[in-house]
Every structure is written in structure tokens, then in C-alpha cells.
């Protein structure tokens, strides 16, 4: 199984939320989902972006918070014909009264040479089913009511912010306070040209409503439109002018790796403390990590299923130790995002530095992600 994370890839439909997103669902509520989703709509958004709307085959609800993602399995797309997992942020509004929604939307950008996006754009049909597991991720979950936020995105990195802004609009239009809200949001989104602005009409319709300001920045004209808005590459000087109260805001960033590195350097240069910068990457292995605190010594890791016990030096992840010893263990992202390596720990203690690839319930049940867990003691895995 090969797994990729495509945190954003487009956007949702032009109407804001579905009826179910307003909390009107009568389907069976649940707080996690693993099963088949049926494609109910395919909606072109731009020349290379497509909305995919999905509902649970069993008729139940689909839970998620704004900013979370699901892992989808695309059978037969791997180099050897195996399934390929890919994570897509949900772009539609989340339920505001709990229990999930009846339909969710992911927004898929066509990636040149990418087998999954090619499949979605060319071969997926309404009525087809996709295996899905979720929701995962904590991006955007740390809302400090009363504080302001700055969203910085580029390209398909807009996707989690679409869900956040749509959900915010629903909450404020209904006068709901069932989810925490930023006092105000400024969203600076970078695109190549106006033709690449995803859900432009809807997103700009949110600007200057609900204490939300959207500032698109384009670096080029499109064939049909000379760009009259903010132009050129984002710089620290430009950002300081566009968002004069930047220092009072939490900063959330999602986009291609080069964009994220550049804007993080900008906001740090402008004086924003690191703890107020929150990142979501959709390229495995390229998101800055918080170093794991290691214990001392060498520990034994017993893989009961494989009938093997391996040595794991302190500070080494269990997955790395398994690989070093030639023990095959399922894995994909190797950084705590996808959940592929999930294992049950029979005994022992670990430090686990995951990025949303495991649910709190699973942690309570003794599950760990070996790819981002270092042992504190000897470990036995089921
Ligand atoms: S391999 Fe992805 S979470 Fe461990």
C-alpha cells in the first residue's frame, strides 16, 4: 500500500453548505468512520480542480471538524497494482450541531503525472465507491476564542481553509456558538493566475462578512483576465502591509513546501513567535517536526505477529528499528500522518509524536504508530 497526503487539492461547490452541514441530518451519528463512500457528484471548479462529493454507503453520517482529512484507498493504482492511499482534507462545511454530515466534499487538483488525481479526474464516476477512513488531523483545532487568525495558503493548500471558512459562515449566519470561533480571520491566498482561484466567487463573497477578509494574490494574468488585485510573490513587506495586525493573530499555513518555508520565514522575520504558527503540509517528509525527547539505552521490541524481537536504540523509532532488522511492518508516510503502521502495544511505554494519524480512542485502547514512536521501555507489540 502506498500512501500520500494531498492536504488540499481544490475546493467545494459554490453554494455554501449542504442541509446536513447545518445539523439537519437524520442519519445515524458517529465520531469516526471506516467504510465505503459513494460518489454522488463531480463538479468542475477550475481548469484543473474538481469537487468530489461523497456519502456513506451505509447511510450514516460522516464526522469531521474543519481542517481534518480522510484517508482514501484507490485500488490498483500502485506501481505493482497495489492500492494507493491518499489523504484529502475535507473542503465542505462541518456539522455545527455534532454528529457529522450526510455528505462531504473533497477538492482534487490534477497533479501532472499523479496517478490518483488522474484517476479522480478521468475515471471516477458518480455512483462509484471509494474506501475511506477518518477523520484525522488536528490542523485548525486549536482555536482560541477571542483571538484573530491569519490563514496563509497557496494552490490547493486552500482546501482545509475552505472548510474552516464555510463552517464559520454557517455558525455566524445561524448565530450558533457550538464550535469555538476566531474573533476575525484574514485569509491571504496565493495563486498563479485568476483562473487558478478555487471557488473564487464563493470565497470572495465571504470577504468582509463575518469578520472575514480574503486577499487573493496572483503572480500572473490568465488568458481571459488581466489580474487587477494584489500582484506578485508574497514578501514579508507585502504581508506586513496587507495584514497590519499580523502580530496579534495566530498564523495557520498550508500549501506547497516551498511556499510554507517561505511564509514561515517571513512571519518569523516579522516577529511572530513559533508557538503561534501552525502548519499543515501535504507532502510527506517535508513538514518541520518537533524533536522527540529520547530516553537512554537500548530496548527490545517484540513483534509477536512476526515472531521476531529486535533491538531499538533510544531515540530510534520502532519502525526504523524494525526496518533495520528486516522485520516487515506496514507503513507509508513514516511520520504519523496516515495511520498505516498502527499497531497494538501489549506492554511497554513509548513517546509518540504523531501528526493526527491516530485517534484518541485508539491511543486509549493501547494502539501506537511505530513510525513516530520511540521506546521508553522494552515493548511488546501484538
Ligand atoms: S506510516 Fe503513516 S502513520 Fe505511520
Amino acid at each position: 500500500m502506498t500512501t500520500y497526503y494531498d492536504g488540499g487539492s481544490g475546493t467545494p461547490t459554490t453554494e455554501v453548505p449542504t442541509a446536513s452541514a447545518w445539523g439537519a441530518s437524520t442519519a445515524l451519528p458517529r465520531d469516526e468512520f471506516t467504510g465505503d463512500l459513494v460518489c454522488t457528484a463531480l463538479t468542475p471548479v477550475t481548469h484543473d480542480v474538481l469537487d468530489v462529493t461523497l456519502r456513506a454507503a451505509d447511510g450514516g453520517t460522516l464526522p469531521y471538524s474543519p481542517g481534518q482529512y480522510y484517508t482514501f484507498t484507490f485500488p490498483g493504482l500502485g506501481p505493482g497494482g497495489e492500492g494507493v492511499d491518499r489523504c484529502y482534507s475535507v473542503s465542505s462545511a462541518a456539522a455545527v450541531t455534532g454528529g457529522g454530515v450526510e455528505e462531504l466534499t473533497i477538492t482534487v487538483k490534477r497533479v501532472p503525472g499523479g496517478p490518483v488525481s488522474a484517476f479522480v479526474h478521468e475515471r471516477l464516476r458518480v455512483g462509484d465507491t471509494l474506501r475511506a477512513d477518518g477523520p484525522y488531523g488536528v490542523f485548525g483545532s486549536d482555536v482560541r476564542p477571542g483571538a484573530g487568525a491569519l490563514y496563509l495558503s497557496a494552490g490547493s493548500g486552500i482546501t482545509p481553509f475552505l472548510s474552516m471558512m464555510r463552517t464559520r459562515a454557517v455558525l455566524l449566519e445561524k448565530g450558533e456558538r457550538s464550535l469555538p470561533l476566531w474573533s476575525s480571520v484574514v485569509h491571504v491566498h496565493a495563486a498563479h493566475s485568476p483562473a487558478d482561484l478555487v471557488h473564487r466567487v464563493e470565497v470572495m463573497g465571504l470577504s468582509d462578512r463575518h469578520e472575514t477578509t480574503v486577499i487573493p494574490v496572483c503572480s500572473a494574468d490568465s488568458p481571459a483576465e488581466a489580474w487587477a488585485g494584489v500582484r506578485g510573490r508574497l514578501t514579508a513587506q507585502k504581508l506586513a502591509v496587507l495584514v497590519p495586525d499580523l502580530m496579534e493573530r495566530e498564523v495557520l499555513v498550508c500549501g506547497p513546501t516551498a511556499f510554507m518555508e517561505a511564509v514561515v520565514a517571513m512571519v518569523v522575520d516579522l516577529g511572530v513567535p513559533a508557538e503561534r504558527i501552525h502548519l499543515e503540509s501535504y507532502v510527506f517528509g517535508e513538514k518541520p517536526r518537533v524533536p522527540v525527547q529520547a530516553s537512554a539505552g537500548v530496548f527490545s521490541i517484540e513483534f509477536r505477529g512476526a515472531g521476531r524481537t529486535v533491538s531499538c536504540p533510544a531515540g530510534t523509532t520502532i519502525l526504523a528499528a524494525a526496518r533495520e532488522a528486516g522485520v516487515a511492518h506496514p507503513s507509508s508516510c513514516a511520520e504519523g500522518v496516515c495511520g498505516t503502521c498502527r499497531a497494538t502495544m501489549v506492554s511497554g511505554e513509548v513517546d509518540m509524536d504523531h501528526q493526527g494519524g491516530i485517534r484518541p480512542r485508539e491511543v486509549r485502547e493501547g494502539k501506537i504508530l511505530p513510525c513516530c514512536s520511540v521506546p521508553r521501555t522494552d515493548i511488546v507489540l501484538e
Side-chain angles (χ1 to χ4, degrees), residues 274-290:
E275 63 270 19
R276 297 223 330 261
I277 304 170
H278 313 274
L279 309 179
E280 181 74 312
S281 170
Y282 50 88
V283 181
F284 282 159
E286 299 192 15
K287 179 176 175 180
R289 302 293 309 278
V290 178

Side-chain angles (χ1 to χ4, degrees), residues 207-263:
S207 193
D208 298 326
R209 293 165 58 207
H210 314 309
E211 295 295 326
T212 300
T213 303
V214 182
I215 306 172
V217 179
C218 291
S219 50
D221 299 329
S222 64
E225 180 181 350
W227 178 241
V230 181
R231 197 178 180 95
R233 298 183 73 83
L234 213 48
T235 62
Q237 293 82 350
K238 199 176 278 181
L239 199 53
V241 171
L242 294 174
V243 194
D245 61 353
L246 168 74
M247 290 298 296
E248 288 143 41
R249 296 180 177 275
E250 296 285 320
V251 180
L252 287 78
V253 187
C254 184
T257 305
F259 168 83
M260 292 180 65
E261 288 175 352
V263 296

Side-chain angles (χ1 to χ4, degrees), residues 284 319 330-342 357 369-372:
F284 282 159
L319 181 65
S331 67
S332 186
C333 71
E335 58 179 39
V337 174
C338 68
T340 304
C341 66
R342 196 183 292 118
L369 298 177
C371 70
C372 57

Side-chain angles (χ1 to χ4, degrees), residues 58-96:
D58 68 4
T61 58
L62 297 167
Y64 60 92
S65 298
Q68 286 194 299
Y69 59 86
Y70 273 70
T71 300
F72 297 85
T73 301
F74 297 87
L77 295 186
E82 75 275 27
V84 170
D85 282 358
R86 180 159 294 188
C87 308
Y88 282 101
S89 294
V90 181
S91 54
S92 44
V96 298

